[in-house]
Amino acid sequence: MDRKNIYKGWEEQASKELRDKNLKDHFWETPEGIKVKPLYTEDDLQKINHEIGLPGLPPYTRGPRATMYTNRPWTIRQYAGFSTAEESNKFYKEGLKNGVMGLSVAFDLATHRGYDSDHPRVVADVGNAGVAIDSIEDMNLLFDGIPLDQMSVSMTMNGAVIPVLASFIASGEEQGCPREKLTGTIQNDILKEFMVRNTFIFPPKPSMRIVADIIEYTSKKMPKFNSISISGYHMQEAGANQVQELAYTLADGKEYIKSALERGLNIDEFAPRLSFFWSIGMNFFMEIAKMRAARYMWSKIVKEFKPKNDRSLALRTHCQTSGVSLMEQDAYNNIVRTTIEAMAAVMGGTQSLHTNSFDEALALPTKFSARIARNTQLIISEETGICNVIDPMAGSYYVESLTSSIVEESQKLISEIDEVGGMVKAIEMGIPKMRIEESSAKRQARVDSNEETIVGVNKYKPTEKQEINILSIDNVEVRKRQVSRLQKLKNSRDNKIVESFIEKIKNAASSDENLLEICIEASKNRCTVGEMTSAMESVFGRHNLSTKTISGVYKNTVKNDGKIDIIDNELNKFVNKKGRRPRMLVVKMGQDGHDRGAKLIATAFSDLGFDVDIGPLFQTPEEAAKQAIENDAHVIGVSTLAAGHKTLVPLLMESLKNNEASYIKVICGGVIPPDDHPFLYDLGVSKVFGPGTNIQEAAIEIINLL
Amino acid sequence: MKLKSYLKLFKISNIDFSKEIGISSVSLSRYISGERLPEKKILNKIFKLTNGSVDANDFFLSSSPSRDLSEIHKKEIKKMVLNIRGGKLKDLAKAITLVESSLKLHNAQADFLLSKLKQNKNSLRVGITGVPGVGKSTFIETFGMSLIDLGFKVAVLAIDPSSKRTGGSILGDKTRMMKLSVNKNAFIRPSPSQGNLGGVAKKTSESIRCLEEAGFNIIFIETMGVGQAETTVYDMVDIFLVLLLPSGGDELQGIKKGIIEMADVIIINKADGNLKNTAEITMLEYKNAQNMISNIREDISPEVFLCSSTESIGITKIWNFIKKFEKIRRDSGSFYKTRIQQQTKAIWRNILLQSQDYIENNLKYNDSVKKIIKDVEKNNFDVNNASKIIFDFILKRNT
């Protein structure tokens, strides 16, 4: 029998098993719009439009290195946001003893936005979500006793990338490590900041110039250092589907290449040092296919720029398991989720991997949860035998077909970006942001109406509450220490020299002199991160984001299972009693730019019939209070993800009280450890919602609250 | 209307009026207080003497109770007015909420509040319109901040669309007015249109008066630029600004030609970067077109400007023109004359709105009306007759 007839035979058999159900109903349309069949066969391999090839050779679909894990497994790179240089230093030394092979530095929000710890706008941000670095002195403490010529260091820094990288290089030299020996990666991916994470400082144009400055400098002086980590991670975290993550990240990469070429660099000088960063979520095969498609597509994209060195075509990547897939409810399930995601990253051929700790939906990891996360990787690497074979998924009917579909779908999105004239233009027009927010609202609607299962959250909910020990940070104490250290620095340095460097930085910013080069010298002379940033700011200006919102997507996707009718009914009652719709101000205070949650709440609640005000990013509590009072909101919804709530919410309550406006109710949502709930309720907060809250149920609760 | 109100309106004494009807002034007082009902003959006389202003219904129906505020409410409102004058934002915000509310009690409170406010002749009311994305908020941010630097107090009323399907709205104007929204000399209030553009406009003109009482002397009213709301907003501002994007005719920009014709100032916005040339061409096109449009203001012609809110280009020129516009019109008296005409228009607009509201929320639910309409549907009743009878319900409605 020929293949066609065999397949027919299967169809008949399957239809029999399905009885009265149709085989067509067993096709699955993924959130990316890809139609997945219940069965793939040899025939599907004939239809693929990408090239599979061999590992270590163009187009690198099977991996950037010829030997992959058979020679050396991926780098276990654990990232943790400890608040002070001393504590982080301790954490690094502990990790190095236990199998971690590279260091990752997460910076606090104040540093990201280029503010020193004593700046009045960052009272609640110092020490949150990472380490506070104000100057080279803090860098010296951070790497105390860690030989930088032997240890690869990855730094998640985009906004204040110049002063931070400069301080790092300067600190290395004070330690005795010349710059050409430094290894590691700086994220330096500003385009995705404008798209999703909002941790930018300057407008897009000068920001792109800074990226080029860094690529130029590192390609000439730091041959072992990755000048940029082009990141899709934060897009998926913000709600992008895998195709969007892939397409927009590659389009970002293309834009960086163009701006480096404009700078007069040769493609082979810098392309081999470009690296990538993916988020790995729960859609197992899709993630593997995404990583393979990425390598194939990148080699095609770079090829257009006519490199002579094949290494320029190879995509190397870091991966992190998905943070949004972590749930507050039934939190131990997160260990299992992270394991599955880590497996996908390994099957997809990552070069380094960070596994999240299971308590990260609640707070920073504890020693215990960090150990489990690390061990997850060690077990995959050393107990399973997975490392013994290169790219085991290659040739799978399903995985190769999926890879092909992803290539095709992402190509469409990339063409859309190309048509408007590249990523900078597209970002100015708000195209990628809008698309990502759309996906995010759709996903929430699917989860809220139980179309997508999350175990322990919308199905199989635990009957008992589990107590989980979590780590909390005393942000006030951290700030006090940082401020006094800054004071000491400012008293002991030669301020005349500092001023002369500030002038030099301003001059460099207004000419085409390399900013990194001058800032390395400035760091050595004890200029602070904040001072260097404001020198550049005086030339470039600080970028303000114009917030665009979407509407209707949530309502169109959600299935009405009766809750919508209840909400409509409650809303009518409310309007008849109060003379207007419930009005909610959604605010993000402090320097945390992750606005996915806030945007999602805003669009979903307005779709449900609320009047929703949104506040500008980076508001202070006083500004938020003023806005709520002026707009006469019934309730302020505080979205908080970066532990700022312990300082910011008390200030907000106080500000309302000072303005005789305590009649305005306050609710909080986001990443808030359960241990902090009593603290917030004592302050007068009416309700605290965690991650994974069903929005419709929350809406009903809020109407009743008012 | 009530006899008492009629006599007060025309300043007629009880004694004079009672003489004319031929009754004692004591009896008249009893009719007025509602102690006694006048008989048919007397009713007829009153009807004739008042030219139909006072009819039988005015004696039989008591006025709707919600119109009368309790003393406690009045005291609260008086305190509110004092606080507004004292610059308390909270009270100003609450006053606007009362004005915008759909509750009868709130409306009565708002009416009482408005009756306590002074007339402000020194403020400048500026209407701004343009399609979504033209950069209205960013323009107001830059322009407003420069006015604050000159010593003005700036208020912004932004009317945002409500969803027709769910009634909800997203009010994001302040995210585009970051500096202005935190400045203590600025007050920004976005309002949902609630699907009723004309209705919001009525409330807007009342909100303007609250803002003026609080000492704001430049007041921006921002609308979406797609039709209905603009004509009503035009009738409550002193000067009307229309923002356009570089390139494209009115149709292309989705803006109605009628709106362009109302403009005192046409601003080609976003004239920066690679749009600069296109902006200049657009400006020329509109300048030429202006020659053909008859001027709506008798004393000054509209002008066209290029502007970039992000690069602060054109702001000073626009302000200079606005100042010139204001001075010429104040000197000629037309500035204030227009405001008075606007008040008359507001009366008729309010009456239309109230009738509409009465029709939608009462009349359509009246059992007799429903029966009449059913009969018309069954061809048992003629349309003209039916309309006449139903219209009588409105005439008899006592407010």
Side-chain angles (χ1 to χ4, degrees):
Chain A
M1 245 191 309
D2 62 10
R3 273 218 309 266
K4 217 170 188 178
N5 284 328
I6 296 176
Y7 187 77
K8 260 217 159 125
W10 171 81
E11 269 188 334
E12 275 163 24
Q13 192 58 36
S15 300
K16 251 188 233 163
E17 284 174 25
L18 290 169
R19 288 162 197 265
D20 44 353
K21 281 177 272 174
N22 195 328
L23 193 57
K24 282 247 155 51
D25 297 338
H26 286 254
F27 282 50
W28 167 45
E29 188 172 334
T30 73
E32 293 78 14
I34 294 171
K35 286 205 176 58
V36 173
K37 304 187 286 183
L39 180 73
Y40 287 81
T41 65
E42 256 177 288
D43 282 346
D44 294 294
L45 270 190
Q46 311 300 316
K47 291 182 210 147
I48 62 168
N49 49 22
H50 66 280
E51 195 184 319
I52 300 174
L54 289 170
L57 296 171
Y60 300 103
T61 312
R62 302 193 62 183
R65 305 210 149 267
T67 50
M68 291 299 284
Y69 309 146
T70 57
N71 176 29
R72 196 162 57 100
W74 64 92
T75 306
I76 300 176
R77 199 187 274 285
Q78 290 298 88
Y79 158 116
F82 288 94
S83 330
T84 61
E86 295 95 324
E87 266 175 87
S88 308
N89 182 268
K90 239 190 275 167
F91 176 82
Y92 295 149
K93 285 181 176 158
E94 166 99 17
L96 294 177
K97 266 194 292 182
N98 291 296
V100 171
M101 300 169 260
L103 305 182
S104 275
V105 190
F107 297 92
D108 74 346
L109 294 165
T111 310
H112 272 295
R113 300 265 298 147
Y115 294 116
D116 284 340
S117 299
D118 57 0
H119 195 284
R121 282 200 85 89
V122 296
V123 176
D125 302 298
V126 176
N128 274 339
V131 57
I133 298 290
D134 291 326
S135 72
I136 185 174
E137 302 279 349
D138 292 332
M139 278 289 184
N140 289 346
L141 282 172
L142 188 64
F143 298 114
D144 180 51
I146 297 170
L148 290 175
D149 50 351
Q150 292 160 40
M151 196 53 59
S152 120
V153 176
S154 148
M155 285 179 281
T156 307
M157 178 50 69
N158 304 280
V161 60
I162 290 271
V164 166
L165 183 57
S167 310
F168 170 73
I169 296 168
S171 171
E173 301 207 331
E174 288 195 358
Q175 195 194 75
C177 170
R179 49 194 82 173
E180 61 271 15
K181 281 198 179 161
L182 290 169
T183 61
T185 308
I186 182 111
Q187 197 164 74
N188 192 26
D189 173 11
I190 203 68
L191 289 173
K192 63 102 174 41
E193 297 294 333
F194 291 111
M195 224 183 285
V196 289
R197 196 161 158 264
N198 302 319
T199 318
F200 44 71
I201 300 176
F202 311 118
K205 253 193 199 147
S207 294
M208 283 302 283
R209 172 242 161 119
I210 284 174
V211 171
D213 274 2
I214 290 174
I215 295 178
E216 180 185 40
Y217 186 87
T218 51
S219 75
K220 291 191 169 135
K221 309 262 171 83
M222 297 161 75
K224 290 160 80 182
F225 203 80
N226 296 319
S227 53
I228 192 166
S229 166
I230 309 161
S231 308
Y233 184 83
H234 315 85
M235 297 180 201
Q236 190 176 137
E237 289 296 284
N241 63 44
Q242 274 80 338
V243 164
Q244 290 169 337
E245 180 190 357
L246 175 60
Y248 294 147
T249 307
L250 294 181
D252 284 351
K254 207 167 159 180
E255 200 75 19
Y256 293 130
I257 290 186
K258 282 194 266 175
S259 71
L261 292 177
E262 271 168 37
R263 184 55 67 93
L265 294 178
N266 178 305
I267 179 89
D268 290 317
E269 275 182 290
F270 64 91
R273 300 295 341 156
L274 302 175
S275 65
F276 284 79
F277 177 20
W278 306 121
S279 172
I280 303 297
M282 286 301 286
N283 195 346
F284 187 77
F285 288 106
M286 187 71 78
E287 293 295 5
I288 298 170
K290 174 185 83 187
M291 291 176 70
R292 308 177 86 250
R295 285 190 293 262
Y296 170 75
M297 292 175 77
W298 183 244
S299 73
K300 295 285 158 211
I301 288 172
V302 180
K303 191 112 206 176
E304 289 169 28
F305 297 100
K306 304 197 170 59
K308 297 207 173 64
N309 180 358
D310 277 350
R311 296 310 301 166
S312 293
L313 303 173
L315 179 153
R316 295 165 305 119
T317 192
H318 172 66
C319 286
Q320 180 172 340
T321 57
S322 158
V324 277
S325 74
L326 302 183
M327 291 296 146
E328 179 189 351
Q329 298 94 326
D330 223 356
Y332 289 116
N333 287 344
N334 295 333
I335 303 177
V336 185
R337 292 194 182 102
T338 300
T339 308
I340 294 167
E341 291 165 351
M343 282 287 283
V346 169
M347 295 288 186
T350 191
Q351 279 57 64
S352 64
L353 177 62
H354 166 101
T355 31
N356 287 325
S357 304
F358 65 85
D359 48 5
E360 277 180 60
L362 306 169
L364 287 167
T366 60
K367 228 172 169 180
F368 170 71
S369 66
R371 183 174 146 79
I372 295 211
R374 201 162 54 226
N375 287 348
T376 304
Q377 294 199 43
L378 290 169
I379 289 168
I380 296 175
S381 151
E382 298 187 25
E383 291 188 20
T384 61
I386 286 174
C387 294
N388 299 333
V389 173
I390 303 162
D391 189 25
M393 285 291 183
S396 146
Y397 305 143
Y398 174 38
V399 172
E400 295 296 1
S401 291
L402 201 54
T403 306
S404 225
S405 303
I406 291 180
V407 169
E408 205 173 298
E409 291 301 315
S410 348
Q411 197 48 57
K412 285 184 200 158
L413 287 183
I414 294 178
S415 305
E416 185 185 53
I417 302 296
D418 286 342
E419 270 162 34
V420 300
M423 203 43 147
V424 173
K425 196 83 202 148
I427 283 172
E428 279 168 6
M429 293 166 77
I431 296 173
K433 204 176 170 94
M434 206 84 102
R435 292 227 184 279
I436 292 172
E437 279 170 21
E438 239 173 64
S439 308
S440 159
K442 277 187 190 160
R443 162 131 214 266
Q444 183 68 38
R446 285 195 304 271
V447 172
D448 280 354
S449 42
N450 288 358
E451 270 183 81
E452 225 177 284
T453 302
I454 302 176
V455 173
V457 176
N458 63 359
K459 252 183 171 176
Y460 320 110
K461 294 182 196 171
T463 43
E464 282 164 41
K465 263 208 153 149
Q466 299 148 334
E467 291 299 322
I468 288 175
N469 292 324
I470 50 165
L471 185 80
S472 74
I473 279 169
D474 189 348
N475 150 278
V476 179
E477 190 47 42
V478 176
R479 184 166 174 274
K480 236 162 90 192
R481 262 197 281 173
Q482 285 301 123
V483 171
S484 85
R485 200 181 292 157
L486 259 174
Q487 209 49 54
K488 227 171 93 190
L489 173 94
K490 285 181 184 169
N491 292 338
S492 62
R493 66 185 184 181
D494 184 341
N495 282 317
K496 276 239 169 69
I497 295 186
V498 168
E499 270 162 43
S500 75
F501 270 104
I502 297 295
E503 277 314 305
K504 281 184 195 162
I505 295 171
K506 283 184 190 169
N507 290 340
S510 27
S511 66
D512 53 7
E513 213 178 312
N514 195 301
L515 278 162
L516 182 57
E517 188 141 32
I518 182 77
C519 283
I520 295 171
E521 293 312 307
S523 301
K524 282 186 185 162
N525 286 288
R526 269 53 191 168
C527 283
T528 68
V529 169
E531 287 164 343
M532 292 185 258
T533 305
S534 58
M536 289 185 270
E537 191 184 333
S538 70
V539 177
F540 298 146
R542 203 169 255 270
H543 182 63
N544 287 333
L545 184 78
S546 79
T547 307
K548 290 201 175 106
T549 48
I550 50 166
S551 67
V553 176
Y554 180 86
K555 185 102 183 191
N556 288 338
T557 311
V558 84
K559 287 232 169 100
N560 186 356
D561 55 355
K563 272 183 244 146
I564 299 264
D565 298 327
I566 298 175
I567 293 170
D568 281 347
N569 191 23
E570 292 290 321
L571 279 175
N572 278 333
K573 277 199 270 175
F574 188 93
V575 174
N576 288 334
K577 220 170 119 195
K578 306 267 186 171
R580 57 179 178 146
R581 288 174 177 272
R583 188 161 181 169
M584 178 163 74
L585 168 68
V586 180
V587 294
K588 281 222 59 98
M589 297 181 290
Q591 297 302 313
D592 171 28
H594 293 89
D595 59 353
R596 179 197 77 97
K599 286 281 198 69
L600 184 65
I601 293 295
T603 183
F605 272 79
S606 80
D607 272 5
L608 291 172
F610 279 58
D611 285 329
V612 182
D613 289 289
I614 25 182
L617 276 177
F618 315 123
Q619 268 184 318
T620 65
E622 294 75 27
E623 291 164 1
K626 181 182 190 250
Q627 184 173 359
I629 293 167
E630 272 182 11
N631 294 10
D632 201 14
H634 295 107
V635 57
I636 303 178
V638 179
S639 164
T640 164
L641 298 164
H645 58 274
K646 283 174 89 174
T647 333
L648 292 164
V649 176
L651 288 171
L652 176 67
M653 304 305 280
E654 197 186 300
S655 193
L656 286 174
K657 204 173 146 213
N658 292 342
N659 288 291
E660 300 167 42
S662 296
Y663 53 85
I664 298 175
K665 299 242 171 22
V666 175
I667 56 171
C668 297
V671 180
I672 301 169
D675 282 2
D676 289 351
H677 291 197
F679 165 80
L680 293 172
Y681 285 124
D682 285 347
L683 279 172
V685 169
S686 307
K687 181 80 199 163
V688 181
F689 296 99
T693 300
N694 181 302
I695 288 189
Q696 295 165 45
E697 283 162 18
I700 297 172
E701 266 190 80
I702 291 170
I703 300 171
N704 289 329
L705 197 83
L706 306 174
Chain B
M1 72 197 292
K2 292 281 175 197
L3 184 51
K4 189 181 175 182
S5 317
Y6 180 85
L7 297 178
K8 200 176 160 197
L9 179 66
F10 287 98
K11 296 200 176 83
I12 303 170
S13 75
N14 282 8
I15 297 172
D16 289 348
F17 195 71
S18 57
K19 271 185 198 152
E20 282 201 58
I21 312 174
I23 53 171
S24 72
S25 65
V26 179
S27 305
L28 183 69
S29 311
R30 283 185 179 147
Y31 297 148
I32 289 174
S33 69
E35 258 175 77
R36 221 181 254 178
L37 289 171
E39 47 192 284
K40 198 177 164 195
K41 217 171 71 192
I42 309 282
L43 279 175
N44 263 332
K45 277 190 181 169
I46 295 177
F47 186 78
K48 272 187 194 148
L49 269 172
T50 60
N51 287 323
S53 296
V54 183
D55 71 7
N57 279 329
D58 296 310
F59 293 96
F60 283 93
L61 300 171
S62 60
S63 57
S64 66
S66 63
R67 285 269 149 177
D68 292 326
L69 278 186
S70 71
E71 284 309 311
I72 304 171
H73 278 137
K74 284 187 181 169
K75 223 174 130 184
E76 273 175 19
I77 299 291
K78 280 180 191 161
K79 198 176 157 213
M80 200 176 210
V81 173
L82 287 179
N83 284 342
I84 291 175
R85 274 180 211 144
K88 275 206 175 153
L89 295 186
K90 179 196 94 180
D91 293 85
L92 176 58
K94 283 277 171 209
I96 296 178
T97 301
L98 288 181
V99 162
E100 289 181 348
S101 173
S102 59
L103 286 196
K104 284 251 157 26
L105 171 67
H106 288 168
N107 294 157
Q109 287 174 311
D111 288 347
F112 183 71
L113 183 135
L114 291 164
S115 74
K116 298 285 162 208
L117 303 184
K118 296 177 201 137
Q119 282 286 352
N120 187 315
K121 294 183 185 175
N122 298 320
S123 66
L124 184 67
R125 304 165 184 172
V126 184
I128 291 191
T129 197
V131 290
V134 71
K136 296 178 291 281
S137 304
T138 318
F139 173 76
I140 296 177
E141 160 92 344
T142 317
F143 195 31
M145 283 310 293
S146 71
L147 292 173
I148 283 177
D149 287 342
L150 292 172
F152 290 99
K153 284 185 78 180
V154 174
V156 183
L157 295 172
I159 303 168
D160 288 342
S162 294
S163 153
K164 278 209 178 105
R165 265 179 50 220
T166 65
S169 62
I170 289 198
L171 308 141
D173 310 77
K174 289 197 191 183
T175 62
R176 295 179 290 274
M177 300 186 215
M178 284 173 90
K179 284 187 199 144
L180 203 57
S181 68
V182 299
N183 194 293
K184 66 178 194 315
N185 287 317
F187 183 98
I188 305 172
R189 175 71 170 248
S191 293
S193 69
Q194 298 162 337
N196 177 2
L197 297 169
V200 161
K202 165 185 182 278
K203 291 161 180 174
T204 306
S205 69
E206 294 174 356
S207 301
I208 292 175
R209 295 193 50 210
C210 298
L211 291 166
E212 289 172 348
E213 194 74 16
F216 290 95
N217 39 22
I218 297 201
I219 293 157
F220 291 105
I221 295 103
E222 179 191 339
T223 55
M224 295 159 286
V226 281
Q228 294 159 288
E230 285 64 36
T231 6
T232 17
V233 167
Y234 179 77
D235 279 333
M236 64 182 69
V237 296
D238 303 314
I239 184 163
F240 196 67
L241 277 49
V242 177
L243 266 65
L244 295 170
L245 289 167
S247 94
D250 314 339
E251 300 80 15
L252 228 110
Q253 307 211 359
I255 202 155
K256 298 238 165 71
K257 201 167 163 47
I259 293 173
I260 305 277
E261 284 170 356
M262 295 190 297
D264 295 306
V265 187
I266 290 177
I267 296 166
I268 316 295
N269 201 26
K270 299 197 175 173
D272 38 45
N274 42 15
L275 284 178
K276 221 166 206 162
N277 285 338
T278 328
E280 270 164 29
I281 297 169
T282 314
M283 178 169 83
L284 283 178
E285 278 171 6
Y286 277 98
K287 272 196 170 159
N288 290 334
Q290 284 297 306
N291 300 335
M292 289 182 279
I293 295 172
S294 61
N295 294 335
I296 28 170
R297 310 281 188 198
E298 61 275 26
D299 38 19
I300 183 163
S301 313
E303 277 196 32
V304 189
F305 294 94
L306 282 186
C307 179
S308 160
S309 310
T310 48
E311 291 172 19
S312 295
I313 294 168
I315 296 287
T316 317
K317 277 190 188 163
I318 293 169
W319 175 235
N320 285 339
F321 176 74
I322 293 177
K323 272 196 298 192
K324 183 173 126 194
F325 179 95
E326 190 186 0
K327 186 169 181 337
I328 289 178
R329 287 179 53 80
R330 277 195 194 275
D331 289 350
S332 75
S334 58
F335 186 89
Y336 196 57
K337 207 171 87 197
T338 305
R339 277 201 182 179
I340 289 173
Q341 287 164 351
Q342 288 176 343
Q343 279 179 1
T344 315
K345 281 187 186 167
I347 293 174
W348 294 116
R349 193 175 58 232
N350 289 355
I351 288 170
L352 268 177
L353 280 168
Q354 280 176 37
S355 321
Q356 225 168 26
D357 183 65
Y358 174 70
I359 292 167
E360 288 301 323
N361 297 316
N362 293 59
L363 202 55
K364 283 192 176 169
Y365 299 100
N366 182 299
D367 284 338
S368 314
V369 170
K370 281 201 270 190
K371 176 77 173 69
I372 294 171
I373 288 174
K374 230 182 213 134
D375 281 353
V376 173
E377 282 169 2
K378 287 183 195 152
N379 274 331
N380 291 343
F381 217 137
D382 149 75
V383 172
N384 281 333
N385 258 334
S387 327
K388 266 183 203 150
I389 293 173
I390 295 173
F391 187 65
D392 272 351
F393 278 84
I394 299 184
L395 293 182
K396 280 186 199 140
R397 176 173 172 250
N398 198 300
T399 47

